[in-house]
Amino acid sequence: MSGVLASVDQRTQLVGENRLELLLFYLHSRHLFALNVFKVKEVVKLPHLSKIPHAHPKVSGVANIRGESIPVIDLRQAICMPEALHKEDSNLVITEYNRTVQGFLIGKVDQIENMTWSDIMPPPSSIGKNHYLTALTKVSRDGQEQLVEIIDVEKVLAEIVEYEVQISHEILDQTIVNEFNGRKILHADDSPTARKQVSDTLSQLGIEIIPASNGLEAFEMLKAWADEGKDVEEELLMVITDAEMPAMDGYRLTYEIRNDKRLKNLHVVLNTSLSGSFNQAMVEKVGCNAFLSKFQPDLLVEEVQTRLKAVLEQQK
């Protein structure tokens, strides 16, 4: 099954081209679901799981994969679908998010679909806030279009492992801490959970977070401010962007910013759950100022504080 996945080197060719690959699968139902292949390490047949007493109810157990113990989350249960029996076509998708490795118990694997981010649609606002979707798309099956639901793994994981937004007192430079108040940061991320994590952290410092649900929305905001005659570089302390988003990904957003003379000097930080070594290379390729892996409140604050110090130094 692992052979169905392209190599990392091949997949990186899609980055900056506003393209992605989705691993399509079923959860013992007729509905098609998807995860971005960038997050997937491998797919294997469901191995034996060791039960862990008092584990979270959505954690089915632990799998031993080549000597590494990996927690396994029942993805069907995690997104609050009715319970179903595990069948012979059950598989384990091993993923890496936010510097941790975990497995997701799924059903039958369909295929990998190569598409553009413009093919990815945000969920309609009318479905409320309790869903587990980060985006939707469509694929052709037997001459008919079929809806694909892309799962918000950030939300799934946050409900199992609670995130902390407490800022360590010792990392704050008390000589400039009052300078945070009233500063503005544009934050683009398609996951409401990820947006809340950043907002809950930085609002403690008095920073105003302007949210955008994807790169295109963020870029349209920036262009509108510039069209109004605003000095966007003066208005914003920085732009924080996720890598993977519908309509326009974070790499393309950075590219567009760098190619607009009114915006080109904006400080852009890539904040993503993708692997660090991969993104360090991509930061250089598309022109981000820094890379920050999710979700580390102290490192986030340190990055913002470093930027603030540079701005204050320029103003002297």
Side-chain angles (χ1 to χ4, degrees):
M1 183 65 69
S2 60
V4 77
L5 302 177
S7 71
V8 172
D9 286 342
Q10 289 172 322
R11 279 180 269 154
T12 58
Q13 301 307 309
L14 301 177
V15 176
E17 304 301 326
N18 217 40
R19 300 192 65 84
L20 77 159
E21 286 179 321
L22 293 175
L23 175 67
L24 306 186
F25 56 88
Y26 296 91
L27 292 175
H28 305 301
S29 70
R30 293 178 299 171
H31 300 280
L32 262 178
F33 295 91
L35 294 173
N36 194 312
V37 171
F38 275 118
K39 306 289 181 65
V40 176
K41 293 170 70 71
E42 63 178 312
V43 182
V44 298
K45 294 299 294 182
L46 182 64
H48 170 75
L49 301 181
S50 300
K51 296 290 185 179
I52 304 298
H54 309 297
H56 192 283
K58 294 180 179 180
V59 175
S60 298
V62 172
N64 188 293
I65 307 295
R66 286 180 291 280
E68 182 179 3
S69 295
I70 297 174
V72 175
I73 297 167
D74 185 330
L75 195 50
R76 182 184 173 94
Q77 187 178 358
I79 63 173
C80 297
M81 291 179 67
E83 188 173 353
L85 294 175
H86 297 162
K87 303 178 182 179
E88 290 184 359
D89 62 358
S90 293
N91 291 285
L92 184 63
V93 181
I94 302 172
T95 66
E96 184 172 358
Y97 283 85
N98 302 351
R99 310 172 320 282
T100 64
V101 175
Q102 54 280 308
F104 289 108
L105 172 57
I106 64 169
K108 178 183 175 182
V109 171
D110 182 69
Q111 67 178 57
I112 285 178
E113 194 83 18
N114 187 319
M115 50 187 27
T116 69
W117 276 106
S118 59
D119 297 323
I120 311 298
M121 306 167 289
S125 58
S126 57
I127 65 175
K129 297 181 178 180
N130 295 323
H131 61 83
Y132 289 83
L133 304 181
T134 189
L136 299 167
T137 192
K138 293 179 180 179
V139 294
S140 179
R141 291 291 182 274
D142 299 323
Q144 294 185 332
E145 281 193 336
Q146 186 169 349
L147 193 68
V148 178
E149 302 173 42
I150 304 173
I151 294 173
D152 185 351
V153 179
E154 309 272 3
K155 180 174 181 178
V156 170
L157 294 177
E159 291 185 355
I160 295 173
V161 182
E162 293 185 14
Y163 64 84
E164 295 288 338
V165 298
Q166 188 68 35
I167 303 169
S168 301
H169 181 74
E170 59 270 17
I171 73 165
L172 291 174
D173 185 339
Q174 297 301 320
T175 65
I176 65 165
V177 71
N178 292 331
E179 295 286 346
F180 285 113
N181 194 49
R183 302 281 177 172
K184 298 177 182 178
I185 291 176
L186 177 61
H187 179 213
D189 199 303
D190 60 324
S191 169
T193 298
R195 294 199 301 270
K196 190 173 189 304
Q197 289 171 337
V198 169
S199 179
D200 286 351
T201 301
L202 297 181
S203 62
Q204 298 174 66
L205 302 174
I207 296 174
E208 179 186 346
I209 302 298
I210 303 170
S213 58
N214 59 64
L216 182 59
E217 183 181 336
F219 189 54
E220 293 295 339
M221 284 185 190
L222 292 170
K223 288 195 300 181
W225 294 333
D227 290 343
E228 292 170 6
K230 292 182 178 179
D231 186 336
V232 183
E233 294 171 18
E234 285 287 328
E235 288 275 331
L236 295 177
L237 183 61
M238 64 170 61
V239 174
I240 298 175
T241 179
D242 186 23
E244 307 167 87
M245 295 177 287
M248 181 186 289
D249 65 25
Y251 306 108
R252 188 71 188 186
L253 170 60
T254 306
Y255 173 85
E256 297 292 347
I257 288 172
R258 295 294 179 241
N259 284 274
D260 188 317
K261 63 182 180 181
R262 305 167 301 175
L263 308 171
K264 64 180 182 179
N265 293 321
L266 278 170
H267 191 87
V268 181
V269 175
L270 189 70
N271 182 216
T272 175
S273 54
L274 294 174
S275 64
S277 57
F278 165 77
N279 272 293
Q280 292 292 359
M282 292 314 305
V283 163
E284 297 178 8
K285 178 178 178 179
V286 301
C288 296
N289 296 96
F291 160 70
L292 189 64
S293 60
K294 295 178 179 176
F295 172 68
Q296 304 175 85
D298 279 355
L299 292 184
L300 173 62
V301 171
E302 284 183 339
E303 184 64 43
V304 173
Q305 184 168 255
T306 298
R307 173 58 182 161
L308 177 58
K309 287 179 177 179
V311 169
L312 295 174
E313 187 63 31
Q314 292 171 2
Q315 293 174 349
K316 286 184 178 178

